[in-house]
Amino acid sequence: MSNTDFVLAVEDLTVSFDGFKAIDNLTLYVDKGELRVIIGPNGAGKTTLLDLICGRTRSSTGSIKFRNEEMTTLAEHQIVRAGIGRKFQTPSIYENLTVFKNLEVSFPRGRSVFGALRFKCTPDVKERIETVADEIGLLDDLQKEAGLLSHGQKQWLEIGMLLMQEPELLMLDEPIAGMSVRERELTAELLKRICVNRSMIVIEHDMDFVAKIAHKVTVMHQGKILAEGPMERVQADPKVIDVYLGH
Ligand code: ADP
Ligand code: MG
């Protein structure tokens, strides 16, 4: 395919696990500044799709272009460096370190925890940490040990750790699982805020939450795209009601 304005162009992507196609000839485009939500029943292949985009799983065939650059041949760390950040379902923060340190170690120069503990926190790094802490609503908790944060705050911290790398595409897998109603509302606001300068792919089940944040919704089923479009249209689609929303 020729160059496009899409941030992400996934084309004819397939991955087989022992002959079972978890992703089956899937094509998906994400715009600059777009917040795309992917929904679909368990086992639809949503997490596998993110695994493929971030290089954790290798595709059998097909192409994944990020800013017109092929990703399927790159290693995971190269994909991160290219500008794709991905949050997994379980948070992976350093519970014994402060919020500040957690953000500091996530600064690209920080690399490993040990590297970062030695590395000098220059004024520009400090400023970046404060900007990110403000974005994720943890500016008043910078000196708090991360293990003492609420479940929701830990999730936000992990999003902040990804933001330290200024990813152009940020992918979140079920970010509000286990959150309180209030934390869900705050997370919706947070995602809308951080999407201003980047594209995002969010996998989520909570339809009220999806309605609040999605620019466009993609419905996956059996490794394929079942429907795609604005929330209202997708919600009214009989195919979608049949395989997903009706249950
Ligand atoms: P979702 O996130 O939509 O619930 P997944 O992407 O986790 O779905 O899984 C899609 C299908 O692929 C499931 O049937 C799952 O068992 C299978 N699958 C995912 N990863 C692997 C793997 N590494 N090896 C074998 N099967 C897998
Ligand atoms: Mg999943």
Side-chain angles (χ1 to χ4, degrees), residues 54-118:
C54 77
R56 171 161 283 222
T57 301
R58 291 282 150 206
S59 60
S60 309
T61 57
S63 154
I64 300 170
K65 290 211 181 74
F66 173 63
R67 298 157 68 194
N68 292 307
E69 194 193 335
E70 186 60 49
M71 294 286 118
T72 50
T73 49
L74 300 185
E76 254 184 292
H77 70 273
Q78 292 173 309
I79 294 174
V80 170
R81 227 174 287 156
I84 299 182
R86 188 258 176 97
K87 183 186 173 315
F88 292 88
Q89 277 166 278
T90 45
S92 55
I93 57 170
Y94 302 101
E95 300 253 340
N96 300 326
L97 299 183
T98 61
V99 169
F100 187 95
K101 272 287 172 201
N102 269 277
L103 293 172
E104 190 184 359
V105 300
S106 307
F107 189 75
R109 261 183 291 159
R111 294 268 153 77
S112 72
V113 192
F114 301 107
L117 292 175
R118 272 198 304 272

Side-chain angles (χ1 to χ4, degrees), residues 212-241:
K212 270 188 208 144
I213 63 166
H215 297 168
K216 228 193 218 178
V217 177
T218 296
V219 188
M220 283 183 64
H221 180 51
Q222 297 178 342
K224 294 185 167 71
I225 292 181
L226 183 70
E228 192 167 273
M231 177 73 171
E232 314 80 63
R233 203 166 76 210
V234 161
Q235 260 182 321
D237 187 326
K239 293 191 306 281
V240 177
I241 295 169

Side-chain angles (χ1 to χ4, degrees), residues 15-18 20-23 38-51 57 89 173-174 203 205 220-223:
V15 68
S16 305
F17 300 119
D18 302 320
F20 165 74
K21 287 180 179 171
I23 296 293
I38 301 180
I39 62 173
N42 282 331
K46 304 180 298 296
T47 298
T48 304
L49 176 61
L50 299 198
D51 287 343
T57 301
Q89 277 166 278
D173 200 347
E174 304 192 13
I203 295 175
H205 287 289
M220 283 183 64
H221 180 51
Q222 297 178 342

Side-chain angles (χ1 to χ4, degrees), residues 99-146:
V99 169
F100 187 95
K101 272 287 172 201
N102 269 277
L103 293 172
E104 190 184 359
V105 300
S106 307
F107 189 75
R109 261 183 291 159
R111 294 268 153 77
S112 72
V113 192
F114 301 107
L117 292 175
R118 272 198 304 272
F119 134 122
K120 226 167 147 221
C121 187
T122 54
D124 59 312
V125 176
K126 190 161 179 284
E127 194 185 311
R128 174 108 199 97
I129 291 170
E130 283 167 0
T131 304
V132 167
D134 195 26
E135 277 186 309
I136 58 173
L138 294 178
L139 194 53
D140 295 334
D141 299 292
L142 278 173
Q143 296 315 321
K144 199 181 225 179
E145 220 174 272

